[in-house]
Amino acid sequence: MPRSGEDARRRLQDAALALFRERGYDHTTTAEIAAQAGVTERTFFRHFPDKREVLFESQEKLATALTQAIAEAPQDLSPMAVLQRAFQQVAPRFEANRSYSLPRQELIERTPILKERETSKLGALSQTLAVSLERRGIDGFRAQLAARSGMAIFALVLDAWFKDPSRSLADYFSRAFVELGRL
Amino acid sequence: MPRSGEDARRRLQDAALALFRERGYDHTTTAEIAAQAGVTERTFFRHFPDKREVLFESQEKLATALTQAIAEAPQDLSPMAVLQRAFQQVAPRFEANRSYSLPRQELIERTPILKERETSKLGALSQTLAVSLERRGIDGFRAQLAARSGMAIFALVLDAWFKDPSRSLADYFSRAFVELGRL
DNA sequence: GTCTATACTGAGATAGAC
DNA sequence: GTCTATCTCAGTATAGAC
């Protein structure tokens, strides 16, 4: 059994998703997850501050990628155009990982306490986006408004794409931004 | 000690807010809240499914009011105009209760786990608004998009108004909807 | 790695309103 | 009598302290 922290971390994440899907989130104990991953319960809490967090590492990476994409966008783009560009840039992450992200999303949708954590993470993410937009010289209120509306689109588009992947994410994003302009 | 459930419920809510503000959310136990309200801990959990929920009854009422306002709006209004109208109609609730809602909001802002619950409640609320808009014949995707962007404005405006109440909520709402149009 | 506080649950008994 | 709010008791799991 390797003692590399990263390895144990991934085993914990895999075990958690598998067990949650099998028995449901609240009928799975952290002890069971740890056992299946070959570590002690204490190790679970060393890697993740609470039981839910084991499913949300991908969102941290997403935040980093989006922040970078916004910082690198051409200066003459409008706030919404910057966001649209950033979203398009991270879209491949989802399309490449549908076999992981879809079951994960299904689990989250049917588990209120996980849904709550996800919504909260998306809220924090929109806060991060707002800060990134402000760094480009956009005034605070507009940055917040753009970031929050942008995240609304982001969540909505992913949701639609999970349900019907026959259209590409890029396509969904384009249409959604056009729709928002019309409203 | 009266047996009316409503009375105990209100005592629990009052005790909870008072104690949370005094000692902080996580240094207050459900047993202490129950004791201060003159009931047992078990009774706390009969009224509220978890410790956080004791602070969120007002949001349920808000959802009802908004739903009704949307249903009653004139048929020729655009989705965003319907939302703007509904928000303006519920604004007085906040302005009349600033002495309650401001300390509550401050507590929520400085307590991550409460912030998480609030964000999640607002997400659920936007879902409710989307359904209300669909009932007016607006197509699903546009209804969702309008509802989420609308909630973004709602949260952002309330936040700004809590920080600076020198302008009216009506004023904040008008300006925010105009700003969104420009983005 | 061990120990403990506390959030939360379940089941059965009691008390008051009707 | 029914119904509902509450209490009592016993327990489990998470998370944090040591």
Side-chain angles (χ1 to χ4, degrees), chain A residues 44-161:
Chain A
F44 179 95
F45 285 104
R46 252 199 298 276
H47 283 281
F48 307 102
D50 64 55
K51 185 178 166 187
R52 296 169 238 181
E53 206 62 26
V54 70
L55 287 174
F56 288 94
E57 184 158 63
S58 49
Q59 291 230 353
E60 308 293 328
K61 295 180 182 166
L62 176 63
T64 310
L66 285 174
T67 303
Q68 195 181 343
I70 291 174
E72 291 169 352
Q75 262 301 334
D76 56 338
L77 293 182
S78 74
M80 281 314 218
V82 170
L83 291 183
Q84 181 166 8
R85 207 188 97 114
F87 292 168
Q88 300 285 14
Q89 280 179 21
V90 300
R93 291 170 174 259
F94 292 92
E95 291 177 325
N97 280 318
R98 194 178 161 90
S99 64
Y100 162 77
S101 55
L102 181 60
R104 171 181 171 279
Q105 195 63 28
E106 280 171 355
L107 172 69
I108 291 173
E109 293 300 329
R110 72 176 141 97
T111 311
I113 203 165
L114 291 175
K115 184 70 187 164
E116 179 171 348
R117 174 61 54 93
E118 196 207 23
T119 308
S120 156
K121 290 268 180 192
L122 290 176
L125 182 48
S126 96
Q127 198 57 32
T128 307
L129 298 189
V131 171
S132 299
L133 288 175
E134 283 192 58
R135 284 221 189 85
R136 298 172 58 88
I138 296 158
D139 118 279
F141 192 85
R142 291 187 72 217
Q144 288 273 356
L145 196 52
R148 294 205 195 208
S149 304
M151 280 312 300
I153 286 186
F154 191 81
L156 191 50
V157 159
L158 272 182
D159 200 47
W161 178 76

Side-chain angles (χ1 to χ4, degrees), chain A residues 24-43:
Chain A
Y25 175 82
D26 31 343
H27 293 97
T28 306
T29 70
T30 52
E32 288 166 342
I33 298 168
Q36 171 136 339
V39 298
T40 68
E41 190 180 11
R42 184 70 180 80
T43 300

